[in-house]
Amino acid sequence: MSLTVWTNHVFRPEALPVFESQLRAAGHRLIVSPKASPLVLAAGADDPTLAEADVAFGQPDVAQVMACPRLKFVELSSAGYTRYDRDDLRAAMKSRGVPVTNASQVFADPCAQHVLGQMLALERNLLVQFRNQQAPREWRYLEDRFTNGTLTRRTVLLLGYGAIGRRLAELLQPFGTQVTAYRRRPRGDEGVPVVGEAALPGALAAADHVVNILPDSPATTGWMDAARFAQMKSGARFYNIGRGTTVDQPALMAALASGHVGAAYLDVMDPEPLPPAHPLWDAKNCFITCHIGGGTRDQDENLARHFLANLEAFGRGGTLVDRIM
């Protein structure tokens, strides 16, 4: 089955020819949107060329997706899909039998390893040592040798349990950590103990490391607030690899300033980019990376492989990976 594939994903220069040649080898045609964007967090622009497509890959405009009767399959080039998480879009796709997938599996391992690296860095005092090397270069033998920790027998609470949470739980298993996950609607196949709203305060109080993986939505805006930070164990570490909007950042800074939260690692903030004068940059024991958690050198190649495998499965009526609708 020959299909016209449209994309507004900006591939790295070395990846686009490979993507195009593989589509051509499979008998498909590629349309690269003239309004393509390298920012998956930015909404896709309205593009008339989408009307020619059977398949869309990237971040297509939501209204256009619903308005284009020719579309048969949509894959998003991101793990998050907040702007597509709409009842009207779900109804439209269901009525036309159009499957929608995201790329969670592409980003699960990098995000999970990113958090694991920061957890180890905080336990082993590596970040403090690095800052000391920049200045003042004190010999911090007593301060850091005897405050080092390990992940062995630590308790980790995962706020959210999708592809990233599952992978992080797998990576933590050899350390002998006790992993618990919070989910609003447990499915029963998590493989780790799961708590809901009622048991969440106790889970926060027991955790040495709290990892926020919640997606952006009206229900999660400011979800990790002052009350929930207060419920955390004194000195516990907090991580955000989900979305910046899910955390009350002034409440986090206050909890860090008081020492109740021992340290924080943030890969996502609100806003992004974080302005140079934003107080988070100087917050006590707050360590920041610039939304790079899901990135890898071969990210675009992995996205292409994920999409092409799903496209092949779609063509033969097979099971699609990371289906969200």
Side-chain angles (χ1 to χ4, degrees):
M1 176 171 58
S2 178
L3 298 167
T4 297
V5 176
W6 172 97
T7 185
N8 66 348
H9 178 74
V10 176
F11 284 90
R12 293 176 64 84
E14 62 272 19
L16 180 58
V18 176
F19 181 66
E20 189 167 11
S21 65
Q22 290 178 329
L23 281 174
R24 192 182 305 113
H28 306 310
R29 170 190 172 221
L30 177 65
I31 298 174
V32 177
S33 171
K35 299 183 179 181
S37 169
L39 302 175
V40 296
L41 295 181
D46 184 280
D47 177 12
T49 64
L50 182 60
E52 303 174 41
D54 304 299
V55 176
F57 172 66
Q59 300 291 312
D61 177 74
V62 177
Q64 267 201 295
V65 168
M66 291 190 286
C68 289
R70 181 168 168 169
L71 277 179
K72 300 178 178 68
F73 167 44
V74 177
E75 174 152 314
L76 308 178
S77 56
S78 57
Y81 56 95
T82 301
R83 73 177 66 93
Y84 301 93
D85 191 12
R86 298 169 36 163
D87 290 340
D88 55 352
L89 179 61
R90 290 180 185 279
M93 298 299 96
K94 183 177 180 180
S95 68
R96 288 160 43 194
V98 177
V100 180
T101 58
N102 67 358
S104 287
Q105 294 301 320
V106 173
F107 301 106
D109 208 43
C111 285
Q113 290 192 33
H114 202 72
V115 175
L116 177 61
Q118 290 291 337
M119 294 173 78
L120 287 167
L122 288 175
E123 284 285 5
R124 301 304 301 163
N125 279 326
L126 300 184
L127 298 169
V128 174
Q129 290 285 311
F130 177 75
R131 284 183 171 178
N132 180 57
Q133 184 177 357
Q134 307 308 301
R137 300 184 181 178
E138 299 170 340
W139 192 249
R140 296 178 54 89
Y141 181 86
L142 294 176
E143 296 93 327
D144 294 341
R145 179 178 178 86
F146 299 105
T147 55
N148 269 340
T150 68
L151 289 176
T152 308
R153 294 185 297 277
R154 297 294 189 196
T155 299
V156 177
L157 173 62
L158 307 178
L159 303 175
Y161 199 70
I164 296 170
R166 287 179 183 275
R167 183 57 182 143
L168 182 55
E170 292 172 355
L171 294 176
L172 287 168
Q173 190 173 13
F175 293 94
T177 55
Q178 299 175 358
V179 178
T180 301
Y182 160 78
R183 291 191 108 170
R184 285 185 301 165
R185 292 184 290 273
R187 293 189 344 196
D189 62 350
E190 287 84 2
V192 300
V194 178
V195 298
E197 289 286 348
L200 181 60
L204 285 167
D208 300 295
H209 299 270
V210 176
V211 184
N212 177 35
I213 325 174
L214 294 173
D216 176 42
S217 75
T220 61
T221 300
W223 187 91
M224 195 65 195
D225 57 12
R228 290 194 169 106
F229 282 119
Q231 290 167 353
M232 287 175 58
K233 177 192 292 188
S234 180
R237 281 76 180 264
F238 176 76
Y239 309 78
N240 193 7
I241 195 79
R243 285 292 182 263
T245 54
T246 64
V247 174
D248 181 337
Q249 292 175 166
L252 171 60
M253 287 186 281
L256 287 167
S258 71
H260 183 72
V261 172
Y265 155 64
L266 309 176
D267 187 56
V268 290
M269 286 71 56
D270 183 30
E272 292 184 16
L274 194 66
H278 196 285
L280 269 177
W281 288 110
D282 297 313
K284 180 183 177 183
N285 291 333
C286 185
F287 302 92
I288 290 173
T289 52
C290 303
H291 205 142
I292 63 170
T296 60
R297 298 183 196 90
D298 55 355
Q299 172 183 296
D300 279 359
E301 289 85 346
N302 293 335
L303 281 170
R305 279 191 286 269
H306 185 282
F307 171 71
L308 290 167
N310 264 347
L311 184 64
E312 189 274 332
F314 171 76
R316 58 178 168 79
T319 301
L320 302 177
V321 177
D322 289 332
R323 182 165 181 171
I324 57 174
M325 297 183 198

